[in-house]
């Protein structure tokens, strides 16, 4: 079954999730949820502990347990590693904390060329060995493929520059325009960090990777193309030889979706603001898409949820290249019962071109 004899565990090549990522016919529409492991699950709150989530991430037993919780509860078609996009820079000693209900906070934000020295090359085995160890544990125990991930340079840089979550990223955009050379050097270092991190997760057994550029939608297309795209393209290209599907996602990306696709992922994550049929009009009929139910719909009555799920599936139009997901992460006050119901609905859906007898 495994195409790589060095793999100790099945590589899930024939799973519905990986087939959909390749745009190939498969049994049912696969589904997983961004932030499926998290505060909406009582079993997560029970094992997470009271400290920073970074403590839970640094404990492979706990992180592996949390990763698998939504797989067991919902029967989703993929597991996503329990970690955070800020883990590598925190492990490099940049001074990052993740405050509950707030997000990443940086003690001494990135301000000048001297701060580049605080971003030495990332060596996953030395700086954050617990991440690969968690991947290995999850891969050994998971019935479904495991997705590794990293933050894309622009989104991670935005936290390092702002120092705390910010709506419009004014400091980041001012920095980008005021000192383009230094901003480019910062993104370049962060691209190296992402490549090292993703490579190590794939070597530990991850079957796919997702590059999160959550806040790239804060940029206009020209700035995105000039400043951000070359770095995201370099990251994705560096992973090509490893042969796993690469997913690229950002929020509020309608005007730059075609440019995110041009970075070279197999799968384009679509946020809830761009309907899937419109995304395929923009990207071409063969585009493989992931998404994109509005997470806020999950707070609504069952008939509203059912209609919205049916709408997402209809807009995909039975294209085999569709991985069902939310259009951004699960909201903390989501009822897990609603997500379980969505999984049932989606997995009962058989794309008409699915090739099964
Ligand atoms: O289930 C999963 O999706 C896997 C785990 C995961 C986490 N963070 C755990 C987490 C993943 C894939 C991430 C990625 C991440 N982290 C992104 C990109 C994805 C996205 O949502 O756009 C971003 C922007 C971050 C930075 C970050 N970390 C934010 C904005 C927050 C929210 C702060 C809050 O408390 O509302 C976090 C914290 C975080 N990361 C939580 C989890 C489960 C919740 C906090 C907790 O349990 O303390």
């Amino acid at each position: 079954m495994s195409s790589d004899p060095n793999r100790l565990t099945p590589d899930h090549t024939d799973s519905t999730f990986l087939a959909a990522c390749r745009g190939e016919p498969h049994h049912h529409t696969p589904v997983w949820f961004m932030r499926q492991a998290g505060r909406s699950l009582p079993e997560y709150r029970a094992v997470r502990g009271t400290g920073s989530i970074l403590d839970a991430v640094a404990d492979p037993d706990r992180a592996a347990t949390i990763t698998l919780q939504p797989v067991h509860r919902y029967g989703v078609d993929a597991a996503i590693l329990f970690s955070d996009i800020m883990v590598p820079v925190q492990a490099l000693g940049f001074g990052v904390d993740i405050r509950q209900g707030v997000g990443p906070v940086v003690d001494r934000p990135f301000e000048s060329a001297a701060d580049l020295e605080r971003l030495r090359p990332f060596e996953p085995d030395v700086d954050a060995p617990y991440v690969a160890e968690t991947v290995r544990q999850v891969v050994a125990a998971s019935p479904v493929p495991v997705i590794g991930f990293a933050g894309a340079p622009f989104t991670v840089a935005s936290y390092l520059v702002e120092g705390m979550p910010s709506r419009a990223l004014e400091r980041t955009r001012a920095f980008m325009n005021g000192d383009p050379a230094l901003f480019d050097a910062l993104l370049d270092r962060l691209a190296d960090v992402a490549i090292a991190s993703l490579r190590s997760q794939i070597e530990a057994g991850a079957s796919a990777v997702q590059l999160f550029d959550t806040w790239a939608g804060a940029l206009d297309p020209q700035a995105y193309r000039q400043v951000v795209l070359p770095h995201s393209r370099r990251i994705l290209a560096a992973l090509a030889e490893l042969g796993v599907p690469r997913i690229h996602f950002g929020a509020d990306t309608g005007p730059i979706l075609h440019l995110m696709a041009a970075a070279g992922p197999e799968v384009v994550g679509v946020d809830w603001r761009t309907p899937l049929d419109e995304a395929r009009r923009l990207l071409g009929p063969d585009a493989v898409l992931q998404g994109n139910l509005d997470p806020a719909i999950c707070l609504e009555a069952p008939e509203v949820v059912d209609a919205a799920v049916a709408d997402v599936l209809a807009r995909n139009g039975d294209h085999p290249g569709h991985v069902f997901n939310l259009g951004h992460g699960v909201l903390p006050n989501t009822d897990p019962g609603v997500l379980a119901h969505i999984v049932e609905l989606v997995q009962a859906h058989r794309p008409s071109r699915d090739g099964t007898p």
Side-chain angles (χ1 to χ4, degrees), residues 35-37 39 44 48 53 83-84 100-101 212 214 328:
R35 292 281 171 90
Q36 61 191 14
R39 279 172 300 185
Y44 169 76
R48 178 196 177 286
I53 100 152
S83 182
D84 195 87
Q100 237 192 110
F212 282 99
T214 301
H328 201 166

Side-chain angles (χ1 to χ4, degrees), residues 43-334:
E43 59 268 37
Y44 169 76
R45 296 194 296 269
V47 298
R48 178 196 177 286
T50 51
S52 162
I53 100 152
L54 296 171
D55 299 334
V57 166
D59 173 355
D61 291 342
R62 221 179 337 157
T65 299
I66 292 171
T67 303
L68 288 167
Q69 284 173 343
V71 175
H72 297 318
R73 181 189 272 259
Y74 301 129
V76 281
D77 293 283
I80 182 156
L81 171 72
F82 182 75
S83 182
D84 195 87
I85 59 166
M86 301 306 284
V87 162
V89 286
Q90 189 259 353
L92 287 174
F94 206 89
V96 180
D97 191 20
I98 297 183
R99 296 217 187 115
Q100 237 192 110
V102 178
V105 177
V106 174
D107 285 348
R108 285 193 295 134
F110 190 101
E111 282 176 347
S112 69
D115 292 317
L116 280 179
E117 300 312 311
R118 296 163 63 202
L119 290 169
R120 61 182 165 78
F122 179 54
E123 295 178 71
D125 293 346
V126 177
D127 296 314
Y130 43 84
V131 174
E133 179 51 30
T134 302
V135 174
R136 281 189 287 272
Q137 284 198 26
V138 174
V139 167
S142 177
V144 291
V146 178
I147 304 170
F149 72 90
F154 178 76
T155 291
V156 175
S158 76
Y159 286 114
L160 300 185
V161 170
E162 303 285 333
M164 61 179 57
S166 141
R167 219 161 248 275
L169 308 184
E170 282 94 350
R171 285 167 73 111
T172 310
R173 290 187 288 123
F175 185 173
M176 178 180 88
N177 291 301
D179 194 343
L182 181 57
F183 196 72
D184 190 60
L186 169 58
L187 296 196
D188 203 51
R189 295 244 168 155
L190 294 174
D192 287 334
V193 170
I195 290 168
S197 174
L198 291 171
R199 191 176 267 284
S200 141
Q201 293 173 53
I202 296 167
E203 284 165 357
S207 297
V209 288
Q210 179 152 329
L211 184 63
F212 282 99
D213 212 350
T214 301
W215 307 128
L219 295 179
D220 62 89
Q222 187 181 322
Y224 178 87
R225 184 198 297 274
Q226 274 180 10
V227 180
V228 173
L229 178 58
H231 297 284
S232 301
R233 184 179 272 153
R234 179 162 79 84
I235 295 168
L236 295 174
L239 303 170
E241 62 181 19
L242 297 170
V244 305
R246 298 157 293 172
I247 310 168
H248 195 22
F249 169 82
D252 214 350
T253 50
I256 60 166
L257 203 62
H258 60 297
L259 298 172
M260 293 187 74
E266 278 78 13
V267 183
V268 178
V270 184
D271 83 278
W272 48 268
R273 297 167 187 86
T274 306
L276 294 185
D277 47 347
E278 192 180 320
R280 267 210 194 85
R281 267 198 300 279
L282 283 167
L283 305 182
D286 296 333
V288 178
L289 304 178
Q290 176 173 279
N292 71 344
L293 183 72
D294 180 350
I297 293 281
C298 301
L299 309 177
E300 288 304 315
E303 60 276 14
V304 178
V305 173
D306 289 7
V309 169
D311 185 59
V312 171
L313 292 170
R315 286 178 187 278
N316 178 63
D318 281 344
H319 194 295
H322 178 216
V323 175
F324 195 101
N325 205 311
L326 302 183
H328 201 166
V330 173
L331 296 167
N333 51 343
T334 303

